[in-house]
Protein backbone atom coordinates (compact mmCIF):
# COMPACT_ATOMS: atom_id res chain seq x y z
CA UNK A 1 0.00 0.00 0.00
CA UNK A 2 1.12 3.51 -0.59
CA UNK A 3 1.46 5.89 2.29
CA UNK A 4 -1.65 7.89 3.11
CA UNK A 5 -1.52 11.58 2.60
CA UNK A 6 -2.26 13.88 5.45
CA UNK A 7 -5.15 16.29 5.28
CA UNK A 8 -2.90 19.32 5.59
CA UNK A 9 -1.14 20.51 2.46
CA UNK A 10 2.37 19.16 2.37
CA UNK A 11 5.23 20.76 0.54
CA UNK A 12 7.04 17.63 -0.53
CA UNK A 13 10.22 19.48 -1.19
CA UNK A 14 10.58 20.31 2.45
CA UNK A 15 9.84 16.90 3.88
CA UNK A 16 12.57 14.37 4.33
CA UNK A 17 10.54 11.20 3.94
CA UNK A 18 9.45 10.67 0.36
CA UNK A 19 5.72 10.35 0.00
CA UNK A 20 4.06 9.36 -3.23
CA UNK A 21 2.25 12.22 -4.86
CA UNK A 22 -1.09 11.66 -6.46
CA UNK A 23 -0.60 12.67 -10.05
CA UNK A 24 -3.27 14.72 -11.67
CA UNK A 25 -4.01 13.79 -15.22
CA UNK A 26 -4.85 16.86 -17.16
CA UNK A 27 -8.06 16.13 -19.03
CA UNK A 28 -7.53 18.83 -21.58
CA UNK A 29 -4.19 17.32 -22.28
CA UNK A 30 -5.64 13.90 -22.79
CA UNK A 31 -7.53 15.45 -25.69
CA UNK A 32 -4.18 16.69 -27.00
CA UNK A 33 -2.78 13.17 -26.82
CA UNK A 34 -5.71 11.84 -28.80
CA UNK A 35 -5.33 14.60 -31.32
CA UNK A 36 -1.63 13.72 -31.73
CA UNK A 37 -2.46 10.06 -32.28
CA UNK A 38 -4.91 11.00 -35.02
CA UNK A 39 -2.38 13.31 -36.60
CA UNK A 40 0.25 10.55 -36.63
CA UNK A 41 -2.27 8.28 -38.29
CA UNK A 42 -2.72 10.87 -41.03
CA UNK A 43 1.03 11.44 -41.27
CA UNK A 44 1.45 7.70 -41.87
CA UNK A 45 -0.82 8.12 -44.88
CA UNK A 46 1.42 10.85 -46.23
CA UNK A 47 -0.67 13.83 -45.14
CA UNK A 48 1.62 16.87 -45.19
CA UNK A 49 -0.92 19.17 -43.55
CA UNK A 50 -1.26 16.75 -40.62
CA UNK A 51 2.51 16.60 -40.41
CA UNK A 52 2.78 20.40 -40.27
CA UNK A 53 0.18 20.50 -37.51
CA UNK A 54 1.96 17.74 -35.58
CA UNK A 55 5.17 19.72 -35.91
CA UNK A 56 3.62 22.93 -34.62
CA UNK A 57 2.17 21.21 -31.59
CA UNK A 58 5.19 19.12 -30.61
CA UNK A 59 8.28 20.96 -31.85
CA UNK A 60 8.91 22.82 -28.57
CA UNK A 61 9.16 19.47 -26.81
CA UNK A 62 11.55 18.04 -29.40
CA UNK A 63 13.69 21.15 -29.78
CA UNK A 64 13.72 21.75 -26.04
CA UNK A 65 14.93 18.27 -25.14
CA UNK A 66 17.52 18.30 -27.92
CA UNK A 67 18.75 21.69 -26.72
CA UNK A 68 18.95 20.51 -23.13
CA UNK A 69 21.10 17.54 -24.11
CA UNK A 70 23.36 19.08 -26.77
CA UNK A 71 23.36 22.64 -25.36
CA UNK A 72 23.87 24.15 -28.78
CA UNK A 73 21.14 25.84 -30.82
CA UNK A 74 22.41 24.81 -34.24
CA UNK A 75 22.87 21.17 -33.23
CA UNK A 76 19.46 21.14 -31.56
CA UNK A 77 17.87 22.42 -34.77
CA UNK A 78 19.62 19.67 -36.74
CA UNK A 79 18.40 17.04 -34.33
CA UNK A 80 14.84 18.35 -34.34
CA UNK A 81 14.83 18.26 -38.13
CA UNK A 82 16.17 14.71 -38.16
CA UNK A 83 13.60 13.61 -35.60
CA UNK A 84 10.70 15.06 -37.57
CA UNK A 85 11.96 13.41 -40.75
CA UNK A 86 11.91 10.18 -38.79
CA UNK A 87 8.36 10.94 -37.71
CA UNK A 88 7.44 11.33 -41.37
CA UNK A 89 8.96 8.00 -42.32
CA UNK A 90 8.15 5.99 -39.21
CA UNK A 91 4.66 7.24 -38.38
CA UNK A 92 3.20 4.01 -39.76
CA UNK A 93 5.12 2.07 -37.15
CA UNK A 94 3.91 4.17 -34.23
CA UNK A 95 1.76 2.05 -31.90
CA UNK A 96 -0.47 4.02 -29.50
CA UNK A 97 -0.86 0.94 -27.32
CA UNK A 98 2.85 0.91 -26.56
CA UNK A 99 3.70 4.57 -26.23
CA UNK A 100 2.11 7.98 -26.04
CA UNK A 101 2.95 10.22 -28.99
CA UNK A 102 5.13 12.40 -26.76
CA UNK A 103 6.78 9.35 -25.16
CA UNK A 104 7.63 8.06 -28.62
CA UNK A 105 8.83 11.45 -29.78
CA UNK A 106 11.01 12.02 -26.72
CA UNK A 107 12.53 8.55 -27.18
CA UNK A 108 13.47 9.38 -30.76
CA UNK A 109 14.80 12.80 -29.76
CA UNK A 110 16.82 11.61 -26.79
CA UNK A 111 18.45 8.81 -28.75
CA UNK A 112 19.48 11.20 -31.53
CA UNK A 113 20.73 13.85 -29.17
CA UNK A 114 22.75 11.44 -27.05
CA UNK A 115 24.28 9.79 -30.09
CA UNK A 116 25.30 13.18 -31.39
CA UNK A 117 26.88 14.31 -28.14
CA UNK A 118 28.77 11.05 -27.75
CA UNK A 119 30.02 11.22 -31.31
CA UNK A 120 31.25 14.77 -30.93
CA UNK A 121 32.42 15.15 -27.38
CA UNK A 122 34.61 13.16 -25.10
CA UNK A 123 33.37 12.48 -21.60
CA UNK A 124 35.93 14.99 -20.36
CA UNK A 125 34.41 17.71 -22.49
CA UNK A 126 31.00 16.84 -21.13
CA UNK A 127 32.26 17.47 -17.61
CA UNK A 128 32.01 21.17 -18.37
CA UNK A 129 28.25 20.91 -18.45
CA UNK A 130 28.09 18.75 -15.34
CA UNK A 131 26.47 21.59 -13.47
CA UNK A 132 23.61 21.74 -15.96
CA UNK A 133 22.63 18.12 -15.64
CA UNK A 134 19.89 18.27 -13.08
CA UNK A 135 16.27 17.25 -13.08
CA UNK A 136 13.33 19.57 -12.79
CA UNK A 137 12.93 23.09 -13.96
CA UNK A 138 15.65 25.62 -14.53
CA UNK A 139 13.53 28.61 -13.72
CA UNK A 140 10.23 29.48 -12.15
CA UNK A 141 8.26 30.23 -15.25
CA UNK A 142 7.85 27.39 -17.69
CA UNK A 143 6.06 28.05 -20.92
CA UNK A 144 3.03 25.84 -21.08
CA UNK A 145 4.16 22.74 -22.90
CA UNK A 146 1.82 20.52 -24.80
CA UNK A 147 1.65 16.80 -24.59
CA UNK A 148 2.14 16.54 -20.89
CA UNK A 149 0.05 13.97 -19.13
CA UNK A 150 0.46 15.37 -15.67
CA UNK A 151 0.48 18.79 -14.17
CA UNK A 152 3.90 20.22 -13.57
CA UNK A 153 3.60 20.25 -9.82
CA UNK A 154 2.94 16.51 -9.79
CA UNK A 155 6.10 15.92 -11.75
CA UNK A 156 8.11 18.19 -9.45
CA UNK A 157 6.66 16.45 -6.43
CA UNK A 158 7.51 13.03 -7.81
CA UNK A 159 11.10 14.10 -8.40
CA UNK A 160 11.32 14.43 -4.65
CA UNK A 161 10.59 10.76 -4.16
CA UNK A 162 14.07 10.07 -5.51
CA UNK A 163 17.05 10.56 -3.27
CA UNK A 164 19.51 13.29 -4.10
CA UNK A 165 22.06 10.72 -5.23
CA UNK A 166 19.52 8.96 -7.43
CA UNK A 167 18.52 12.25 -9.04
CA UNK A 168 22.12 13.09 -9.68
CA UNK A 169 22.86 9.76 -11.36
CA UNK A 170 19.71 9.86 -13.50
CA UNK A 171 20.35 13.46 -14.54
CA UNK A 172 23.95 12.71 -15.52
CA UNK A 173 22.82 9.73 -17.55
CA UNK A 174 19.80 11.31 -19.21
CA UNK A 175 20.81 14.94 -19.71
CA UNK A 176 24.56 14.47 -19.47
CA UNK A 177 24.60 11.77 -22.19
CA UNK A 178 26.77 9.59 -20.02
CA UNK A 179 27.08 5.86 -20.15
CA UNK A 180 26.96 3.83 -16.96
CA UNK A 181 30.71 3.70 -16.79
CA UNK A 182 31.04 7.44 -17.32
CA UNK A 183 28.48 8.18 -14.61
CA UNK A 184 30.44 5.95 -12.25
CA UNK A 185 33.69 7.73 -13.15
CA UNK A 186 32.14 11.18 -12.81
CA UNK A 187 30.71 10.41 -9.39
CA UNK A 188 33.68 8.27 -8.35
CA UNK A 189 31.49 5.45 -7.13
CA UNK A 190 31.49 1.76 -8.10
CA UNK A 191 29.55 0.73 -11.18
CA UNK A 192 27.04 -1.51 -9.35
CA UNK A 193 26.19 1.45 -7.13
CA UNK A 194 25.46 3.60 -10.16
CA UNK A 195 23.34 0.88 -11.69
CA UNK A 196 21.28 0.56 -8.55
CA UNK A 197 20.88 4.31 -8.14
CA UNK A 198 19.59 4.72 -11.67
CA UNK A 199 17.28 1.73 -11.55
CA UNK A 200 15.88 2.45 -8.09
CA UNK A 201 15.51 6.14 -8.87
CA UNK A 202 13.65 5.50 -12.10
CA UNK A 203 11.43 2.97 -10.36
CA UNK A 204 10.48 5.46 -7.67
CA UNK A 205 9.83 8.17 -10.19
CA UNK A 206 7.71 5.94 -12.37
CA UNK A 207 5.84 4.57 -9.40
CA UNK A 208 5.01 8.06 -8.23
CA UNK A 209 4.00 9.37 -11.65
CA UNK A 210 1.67 6.46 -12.25
CA UNK A 211 0.17 6.73 -8.80
CA UNK A 212 1.72 3.45 -7.69
CA UNK A 213 -0.16 1.36 -10.20
CA UNK A 214 2.87 -0.54 -11.33
CA UNK A 215 5.65 -2.45 -9.70
CA UNK B 1 16.81 9.98 5.44
CA UNK B 2 19.59 7.56 4.82
CA UNK B 3 20.83 6.91 1.34
CA UNK B 4 19.42 3.80 -0.23
CA UNK B 5 22.41 2.50 -2.12
CA UNK B 6 21.38 -1.02 -1.41
CA UNK B 7 22.76 -3.64 -3.73
CA UNK B 8 19.66 -5.25 -5.08
CA UNK B 9 20.19 -8.45 -7.06
CA UNK B 10 20.70 -7.56 -10.70
CA UNK B 11 18.74 -9.40 -13.34
CA UNK B 12 18.65 -9.16 -17.10
CA UNK B 13 15.33 -7.35 -16.81
CA UNK B 14 17.00 -4.53 -14.89
CA UNK B 15 18.94 -3.68 -18.01
CA UNK B 16 15.66 -2.25 -19.31
CA UNK B 17 16.24 0.85 -17.14
CA UNK B 18 19.58 1.95 -18.59
CA UNK B 19 18.43 0.81 -22.02
CA UNK B 20 15.35 3.04 -21.83
CA UNK B 21 17.37 6.17 -21.06
CA UNK B 22 20.12 5.46 -23.61
CA UNK B 23 22.74 4.92 -20.93
CA UNK B 24 24.21 1.79 -22.48
CA UNK B 25 27.07 2.40 -24.87
CA UNK B 26 26.54 1.08 -28.40
CA UNK B 27 28.36 -2.27 -27.92
CA UNK B 28 26.41 -2.93 -24.70
CA UNK B 29 23.19 -1.98 -26.43
CA UNK B 30 23.94 -4.31 -29.32
CA UNK B 31 24.90 -7.16 -27.03
CA UNK B 32 21.65 -6.75 -25.11
CA UNK B 33 19.57 -6.64 -28.29
CA UNK B 34 21.31 -9.78 -29.56
CA UNK B 35 20.71 -11.50 -26.25
CA UNK B 36 17.03 -10.56 -26.28
CA UNK B 37 16.63 -11.69 -29.84
CA UNK B 38 17.84 -15.10 -28.80
CA UNK B 39 15.78 -15.08 -25.60
CA UNK B 40 12.45 -15.11 -27.41
CA UNK B 41 9.33 -12.98 -27.76
CA UNK B 42 8.06 -13.38 -24.19
CA UNK B 43 11.19 -11.90 -22.72
CA UNK B 44 11.27 -9.22 -25.37
CA UNK B 45 7.71 -8.24 -24.42
CA UNK B 46 8.54 -8.18 -20.73
CA UNK B 47 11.60 -6.07 -21.38
CA UNK B 48 9.80 -3.80 -23.79
CA UNK B 49 7.05 -3.10 -21.25
CA UNK B 50 9.55 -1.66 -18.77
CA UNK B 51 11.35 0.28 -21.48
CA UNK B 52 8.12 1.93 -22.55
CA UNK B 53 7.08 2.77 -18.99
CA UNK B 54 10.41 4.43 -18.28
CA UNK B 55 10.33 6.30 -21.57
CA UNK B 56 6.90 7.67 -20.65
CA UNK B 57 8.31 8.65 -17.28
CA UNK B 58 11.19 10.54 -18.82
CA UNK B 59 8.83 12.16 -21.33
CA UNK B 60 6.87 13.52 -18.36
CA UNK B 61 10.07 15.04 -17.00
CA UNK B 62 11.04 16.72 -20.24
CA UNK B 63 7.95 18.87 -20.04
CA UNK B 64 10.22 21.33 -18.23
CA UNK B 65 12.61 21.46 -21.15
CA UNK B 66 10.17 22.72 -23.77
CA UNK B 67 11.57 25.59 -25.84
CA UNK B 68 9.95 26.84 -29.05
CA UNK B 69 12.33 26.34 -31.98
CA UNK B 70 13.20 29.27 -34.28
CA UNK B 71 10.64 29.81 -37.03
CA UNK B 72 13.19 28.96 -39.71
CA UNK B 73 13.20 25.35 -38.54
CA UNK B 74 9.74 24.68 -39.93
CA UNK B 75 10.58 25.92 -43.42
CA UNK B 76 13.92 24.08 -43.34
CA UNK B 77 12.09 20.94 -42.34
CA UNK B 78 9.55 21.25 -45.12
CA UNK B 79 12.34 21.72 -47.67
CA UNK B 80 14.12 18.69 -46.26
CA UNK B 81 10.89 16.76 -46.54
CA UNK B 82 10.63 17.64 -50.23
CA UNK B 83 14.12 16.30 -50.77
CA UNK B 84 13.41 13.26 -48.65
CA UNK B 85 10.26 12.38 -50.54
CA UNK B 86 12.00 12.46 -53.86
CA UNK B 87 14.98 10.51 -52.67
CA UNK B 88 15.35 6.85 -53.17
CA UNK B 89 14.97 4.36 -50.40
CA UNK B 90 16.73 1.06 -50.16
CA UNK B 91 14.77 -1.86 -51.43
CA UNK B 92 15.55 -5.50 -51.22
CA UNK B 93 13.76 -8.66 -50.54
CA UNK B 94 13.76 -8.91 -46.81
CA UNK B 95 15.08 -11.83 -44.84
CA UNK B 96 12.91 -14.18 -42.85
CA UNK B 97 9.93 -12.28 -41.47
CA UNK B 98 10.36 -13.82 -38.03
CA UNK B 99 13.67 -12.10 -37.58
CA UNK B 100 12.39 -8.68 -38.27
CA UNK B 101 9.55 -7.88 -35.96
CA UNK B 102 11.41 -7.20 -32.78
CA UNK B 103 14.41 -5.82 -34.53
CA UNK B 104 11.98 -3.17 -35.66
CA UNK B 105 11.13 -1.94 -32.21
CA UNK B 106 14.59 -2.29 -30.82
CA UNK B 107 16.12 -0.24 -33.55
CA UNK B 108 13.22 2.00 -34.36
CA UNK B 109 15.27 5.14 -33.89
CA UNK B 110 17.68 4.09 -36.59
CA UNK B 111 15.32 2.20 -38.85
CA UNK B 112 15.41 3.03 -42.51
CA UNK B 113 12.06 3.35 -44.14
CA UNK B 114 11.63 0.87 -46.89
CA UNK B 115 9.49 2.74 -49.29
CA UNK B 116 7.40 5.77 -49.96
CA UNK B 117 3.92 5.56 -51.35
CA UNK B 118 1.56 8.45 -51.03
CA UNK B 119 3.08 11.88 -51.05
CA UNK B 120 5.72 11.38 -53.71
CA UNK B 121 4.19 13.78 -56.13
CA UNK B 122 2.19 11.20 -57.98
CA UNK B 123 -1.33 12.25 -58.71
CA UNK B 124 -2.83 8.92 -57.81
CA UNK B 125 -4.09 8.25 -54.34
CA UNK B 126 -3.02 5.00 -52.84
CA UNK B 127 -5.69 3.52 -50.69
CA UNK B 128 -4.62 3.03 -47.14
CA UNK B 129 -4.14 -0.53 -46.17
CA UNK B 130 -6.02 -1.70 -43.13
CA UNK B 131 -2.99 -2.77 -41.12
CA UNK B 132 -2.24 0.76 -40.06
CA UNK B 133 0.54 1.30 -42.56
CA UNK B 134 -0.30 4.42 -44.42
CA UNK B 135 1.96 3.92 -47.39
CA UNK B 136 2.25 0.89 -49.59
CA UNK B 137 5.66 -0.59 -49.02
CA UNK B 138 7.90 -2.32 -51.48
CA UNK B 139 7.48 -5.48 -49.46
CA UNK B 140 3.71 -5.32 -49.85
CA UNK B 141 4.07 -4.99 -53.60
CA UNK B 142 6.52 -7.89 -53.70
CA UNK B 143 4.28 -10.03 -51.52
CA UNK B 144 1.11 -9.62 -53.57
CA UNK B 145 -0.01 -12.85 -55.28
CA UNK B 146 -0.29 -10.93 -58.53
CA UNK B 147 3.14 -9.33 -58.16
CA UNK B 148 5.07 -9.39 -61.41
CA UNK B 149 8.72 -8.66 -61.94
CA UNK B 150 10.31 -7.35 -65.10
CA UNK B 151 13.76 -5.97 -65.77
CA UNK B 152 15.08 -3.83 -68.55
CA UNK B 153 18.62 -2.72 -69.32
CA UNK B 154 19.52 0.93 -68.87
CA UNK B 155 21.39 2.78 -71.62
CA UNK B 156 24.85 3.45 -70.20
CA UNK B 157 24.81 0.45 -67.89
CA UNK B 158 22.75 -1.18 -65.17
CA UNK B 159 19.13 -2.24 -65.07
CA UNK B 160 15.72 -1.10 -63.89
CA UNK B 161 13.54 -3.73 -62.26
CA UNK B 162 9.84 -3.12 -61.77
CA UNK B 163 7.74 -5.16 -59.35
CA UNK B 164 4.16 -4.44 -60.11
CA UNK B 165 0.88 -5.36 -58.45
CA UNK B 166 -2.35 -4.58 -60.22
CA UNK B 167 -4.42 -5.33 -57.13
CA UNK B 168 -2.49 -2.67 -55.19
CA UNK B 169 -2.19 -0.36 -58.16
CA UNK B 170 1.41 0.11 -57.20
CA UNK B 171 4.87 -0.60 -58.48
CA UNK B 172 8.18 -0.93 -56.66
CA UNK B 173 11.01 0.20 -58.87
CA UNK B 174 14.63 -0.58 -58.16
CA UNK B 175 17.83 0.21 -59.98
CA UNK B 176 20.95 -1.86 -59.98
CA UNK B 177 24.50 -1.22 -61.12
CA UNK B 178 23.82 2.11 -62.71
CA UNK B 179 26.96 4.22 -63.19
CA UNK B 180 27.58 7.01 -60.71
CA UNK B 181 26.85 10.44 -62.15
CA UNK B 182 28.86 13.64 -61.71
CA UNK B 183 27.83 15.47 -58.55
CA UNK B 184 25.89 18.04 -60.55
CA UNK B 185 23.69 15.38 -62.17
CA UNK B 186 21.04 13.01 -60.85
CA UNK B 187 18.79 10.33 -62.20
CA UNK B 188 15.14 11.29 -62.19
CA UNK B 189 12.28 8.81 -62.38
CA UNK B 190 9.11 9.88 -64.14
CA UNK B 191 5.66 8.43 -64.27
CA UNK B 192 4.06 9.22 -67.61
CA UNK B 193 0.30 9.09 -67.21
CA UNK B 194 -1.91 9.96 -70.18
CA UNK B 195 1.12 11.45 -71.92
CA UNK B 196 2.07 13.76 -69.05
CA UNK B 197 5.30 13.08 -67.12
CA UNK B 198 5.26 13.60 -63.38
CA UNK B 199 8.36 13.41 -61.25
CA UNK B 200 8.42 10.42 -58.91
CA UNK B 201 11.92 10.59 -57.52
CA UNK B 202 15.31 12.19 -57.92
CA UNK B 203 18.04 9.65 -57.26
CA UNK B 204 21.70 10.31 -56.68
CA UNK B 205 22.66 6.76 -55.85
CA UNK B 206 21.45 3.19 -55.82
CA UNK B 207 17.75 3.49 -55.37
CA UNK B 208 14.35 1.98 -55.08
CA UNK B 209 11.01 3.69 -55.12
CA UNK B 210 7.41 2.70 -54.69
CA UNK B 211 4.81 4.55 -56.66
CA UNK B 212 1.16 4.28 -57.51
CA UNK B 213 0.61 3.25 -61.11
CA UNK B 214 -2.25 2.80 -63.51
CA UNK B 215 -2.36 0.37 -66.39
CA UNK B 216 -0.54 1.78 -69.43
CA UNK B 217 1.48 4.24 -67.37
CA UNK B 218 5.10 4.44 -68.38
CA UNK B 219 8.04 4.63 -65.98
CA UNK B 220 11.05 6.38 -67.44
CA UNK B 221 14.40 7.68 -66.19
CA UNK B 222 16.30 10.70 -67.44
CA UNK B 223 19.55 12.32 -66.40
CA UNK B 224 18.84 15.76 -64.96
CA UNK B 225 20.70 18.48 -63.06
CA UNK B 226 21.21 17.59 -59.39
CA UNK B 227 18.01 18.18 -57.50
CA UNK B 228 15.88 17.26 -60.48
CA UNK B 229 13.88 19.18 -63.07
CA UNK B 230 10.19 20.10 -63.19
CA UNK B 231 9.93 18.11 -66.43
CA UNK B 232 12.30 15.83 -68.35
CA UNK B 233 14.99 17.77 -70.22
CA UNK B 234 16.85 14.84 -71.80
CA UNK B 235 15.92 11.62 -73.56
CA UNK B 236 15.09 8.68 -71.30
CA UNK B 237 17.87 6.20 -70.70
CA UNK B 238 15.30 3.55 -69.82
CA UNK B 239 11.53 3.20 -69.93
CA UNK B 240 8.92 0.56 -69.30
CA UNK B 241 5.17 0.55 -69.69
CA UNK B 242 3.30 -1.14 -66.89
CA UNK B 243 0.05 -3.08 -66.86
Amino acid sequence: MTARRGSAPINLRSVTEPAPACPTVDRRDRAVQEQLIELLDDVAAGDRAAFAEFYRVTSPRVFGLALRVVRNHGAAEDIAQEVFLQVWSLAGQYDPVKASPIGWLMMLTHRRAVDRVRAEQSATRRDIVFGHAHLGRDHDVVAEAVGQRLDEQSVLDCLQTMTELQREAVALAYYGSRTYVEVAETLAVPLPTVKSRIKDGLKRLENCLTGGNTR
Amino acid sequence: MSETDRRTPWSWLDEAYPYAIDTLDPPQRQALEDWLEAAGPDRVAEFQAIVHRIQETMADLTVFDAVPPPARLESALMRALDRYDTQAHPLGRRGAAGRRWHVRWLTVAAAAIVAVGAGVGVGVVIERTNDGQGAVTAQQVLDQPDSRESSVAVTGGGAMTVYESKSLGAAAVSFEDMPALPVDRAYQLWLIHAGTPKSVAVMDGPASVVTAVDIADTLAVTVEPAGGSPGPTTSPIVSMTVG
Side-chain angles (χ1 to χ4, degrees), chain A residues 103-123:
Chain A
W104 183 66
L105 205 50
M106 295 297 94
M107 179 274 289
L108 292 173
T109 305
H110 189 256
R111 179 81 59 90
R112 281 261 167 186
V114 164
D115 285 350
R116 173 133 179 175
V117 170
R118 289 191 188 151
E120 290 181 354
Q121 299 177 3
S122 69

Side-chain angles (χ1 to χ4, degrees), chain B residues 66-128:
Chain B
V67 176
R72 65 174 173 271
L73 184 60
E74 182 170 352
S75 48
L77 175 64
M78 293 307 161
R79 283 196 302 276
L81 204 58
D82 288 339
R83 289 195 299 276
Y84 181 90
D85 273 352
T86 50
Q87 255 172 17
H89 302 285
L91 168 67
R93 289 187 181 273
R94 302 241 200 108
R99 206 187 128 77
R100 292 208 61 85
W101 68 270
H102 68 269
V103 172
R104 188 183 305 150
W105 75 259
L106 283 171
T107 59
V108 60
I113 192 69
V114 174
V116 289
V120 290
V122 179
V124 182
V125 176
I126 297 179
E127 280 194 359
R128 299 189 58 187

Side-chain angles (χ1 to χ4, degrees), chain A residues 172 178-192 194:
Chain A
L172 276 173
R178 279 171 173 72
T179 64
Y180 263 169
V181 175
E182 289 167 351
V183 174
E185 283 168 359
T186 304
L187 298 176
V189 292
L191 191 56
V194 163

Side-chain angles (χ1 to χ4, degrees), chain A residues 46-178:
Chain A
D47 184 337
R48 285 280 284 263
F51 179 78
E53 178 64 16
F54 186 85
Y55 171 86
R56 284 176 203 128
V57 175
T58 60
S59 55
R61 298 293 302 272
V62 171
F63 180 71
L65 175 57
L67 186 61
R68 183 78 196 278
V69 174
V70 300
R71 308 201 69 81
N72 171 295
H73 270 81
E77 284 180 48
D78 289 349
I79 289 163
Q81 181 167 315
E82 289 163 11
V83 167
F84 280 103
L85 285 174
Q86 279 191 300
V87 168
W88 180 247
S89 62
L90 298 176
Q93 291 179 20
Y94 167 72
D95 181 353
V97 175
K98 289 179 177 166
S100 70
I102 294 292
W104 183 66
L105 205 50
M106 295 297 94
M107 179 274 289
L108 292 173
T109 305
H110 189 256
R111 179 81 59 90
R112 281 261 167 186
V114 164
D115 285 350
R116 173 133 179 175
V117 170
R118 289 191 188 151
E120 290 181 354
Q121 299 177 3
S122 69
T124 317
R125 167 74 183 76
R126 274 175 267 152
D127 280 341
I128 293 168
V129 298
F130 183 15
H132 297 289
H134 64 274
L135 304 179
R137 59 174 130 196
D138 267 330
H139 37 75
D140 288 338
V141 182
V142 178
E144 187 175 334
V146 297
Q148 63 198 92
R149 296 180 306 155
L150 311 163
D151 75 42
E152 288 170 8
Q153 193 56 49
S154 295
V155 180
L156 284 174
D157 289 348
C158 283
L159 276 171
Q160 304 306 315
T161 64
M162 298 161 92
T163 69
E164 186 63 41
L165 291 176
Q166 287 168 347
R167 277 200 298 273
E168 180 184 49
V170 169
L172 276 173
Y174 192 75
Y175 288 121
S177 307
R178 279 171 173 72

